[in-house]
Amino acid sequence: YEAVVRGAVKSIGFDSFVDDLSAVNSKGLNYKDCEVLVRINKQSPDIAGGVHVDKSEMDVGAGDQGIMFGYATDETADNMPLTHSLATRLGKTLTDVRKDGSLWWLRPDGKTQVTIKYQQHADGSVEPL
């Protein structure tokens, strides 16, 4: 598990840590020597009983997974809200210019935020301005 975590941290781009806030070359984390704690335990018997114990292969549940929520929209081709689609594309661009060296100073934890103003029509529909 530790090798998988270190590989993921490396691929994200966290490859240097200098304990000095003024250090230009520090990315705040180094995959080579960061502390990795593995805390994986067996699934609880209560969850296992409800999910897969004494169940057929076609009747196996997901277990203790996270909750997902969201919605689909017709304002984009991928049925995602326009703000989400734009923020995702901006985030990808941040990653690309960081990795190709165009913005060498950009760190792997870049953030995006997109806000769009909408106009509501008489029929209740909205469109981005």
Side-chain angles (χ1 to χ4, degrees):
Y1 296 112
E2 183 174 336
V4 171
V5 171
R6 289 189 189 284
V9 172
K10 179 182 180 182
S11 70
I12 291 168
F14 286 111
D15 57 9
S16 64
F17 173 75
V18 178
D19 194 11
D20 178 358
L21 292 177
S22 65
V24 175
N25 63 339
S26 180
K27 294 183 183 171
L29 186 67
N30 187 345
Y31 74 93
K32 295 175 190 170
D33 56 17
C34 66
E35 183 178 12
V36 176
L37 301 174
V38 178
R39 298 288 184 259
I40 299 175
N41 299 307
K42 289 173 55 175
Q43 188 175 51
S44 79
D46 292 335
I47 293 174
V51 174
H52 63 80
V53 173
D54 297 327
K55 306 257 186 207
S56 73
E57 190 173 307
M58 297 303 294
D59 193 31
V60 173
D64 51 353
Q65 301 297 315
I67 297 172
M68 301 293 289
F69 64 95
Y71 64 94
T73 177
D74 63 0
E75 70 181 322
T76 62
D78 61 2
N79 297 326
M80 297 298 290
L82 182 58
T83 51
H84 174 82
S85 293
L86 293 174
T88 300
R89 286 175 35 203
L90 285 169
K92 172 71 167 88
T93 301
L94 285 175
T95 298
D96 293 344
V97 297
R98 175 179 56 83
K99 288 187 172 184
D100 74 14
S102 299
L103 296 180
W104 60 266
W105 47 267
L106 196 62
R107 297 298 179 246
D109 60 348
K111 309 287 187 293
T112 64
Q113 178 176 330
V114 174
T115 303
I116 295 178
K117 185 174 184 176
Y118 290 87
Q119 178 177 354
Q120 186 168 7
H121 300 289
D123 66 357
S125 65
V126 296
E127 71 177 308
L129 296 177

